[in-house]
Amino acid sequence: MAAVTATAARDYERASSGALMPWPMAFVVAPLVLHRPTRRVLPISTRTHLANWVAAHPVLVAGMGARCTSLASPVREGLRFGLRHQMLTIEHGFLKSSIPAKSHPRGELADLIKAASLMGRWTSKSEPSTVFALLGVRP
């Protein structure tokens, strides 16, 4: 969970020219990345607008609230782990990642890291309130 959040935060910062990822975004990234049916239909690039993706996948989005709720405790634990092990820091309510860009995970972990990277870049293109609203969840 810490690696997923740290990857998303790292790539959010890169894609937004230095703006850091709001910490509540970790609670949205995890359900999108960890839910295999959702992860499989994520776009391959950030050119797809989030609103268009949401409109094309209403069944997956309908379950977001329940997935966010069920993953809240693991996300909090992942944040604590990432902070304790200097994978993440919090700066004025935003997450900053300190993990390197080059890693070579294998198997399902590679899929999770790739999806987390996409989510970081993708969510950086919209206001957090817009992301939460489109996905039908509240911070």
Side-chain angles (χ1 to χ4, degrees):
M1 192 64 73
V4 164
T5 303
T7 299
R10 179 194 65 206
D11 292 340
Y12 185 105
E13 182 179 358
R14 288 183 178 164
S16 64
S17 302
L20 301 179
M21 186 172 88
W23 69 267
M25 197 65 72
F27 294 89
V28 171
V29 168
L32 290 166
V33 170
L34 297 175
H35 185 245
R36 184 175 288 141
T38 302
R39 185 174 65 241
R40 286 184 175 162
V41 296
L42 289 173
I44 58 172
S45 79
T46 60
R47 285 189 224 155
T48 302
H49 194 278
L50 182 59
N52 293 338
W53 184 86
V54 166
H57 300 92
V59 173
L60 293 174
V61 175
M64 273 297 294
R67 287 195 303 277
C68 287
T69 300
S70 69
L71 286 172
S73 183
V75 169
R76 283 191 294 272
E77 187 174 329
L79 287 170
R80 286 190 297 270
F81 183 90
L83 291 166
R84 191 175 317 119
H85 294 280
Q86 289 90 38
M87 296 169 71
L88 294 164
T89 56
I90 296 179
E91 296 182 9
H92 308 289
F94 297 88
L95 294 174
K96 181 163 182 68
S97 175
S98 60
I99 62 169
K102 298 294 179 192
S103 65
H104 303 289
R106 295 184 185 155
E108 189 169 9
L109 180 58
D111 294 340
L112 294 172
I113 296 301
K114 181 179 175 183
S117 174
L118 172 74
M119 290 310 304
R121 291 179 284 119
W122 203 21
T123 57
S124 74
K125 294 180 175 277
S126 302
E127 290 295 319
S129 58
T130 303
V131 173
F132 283 99
L134 285 171
L135 296 174
V137 297
R138 292 189 323 239

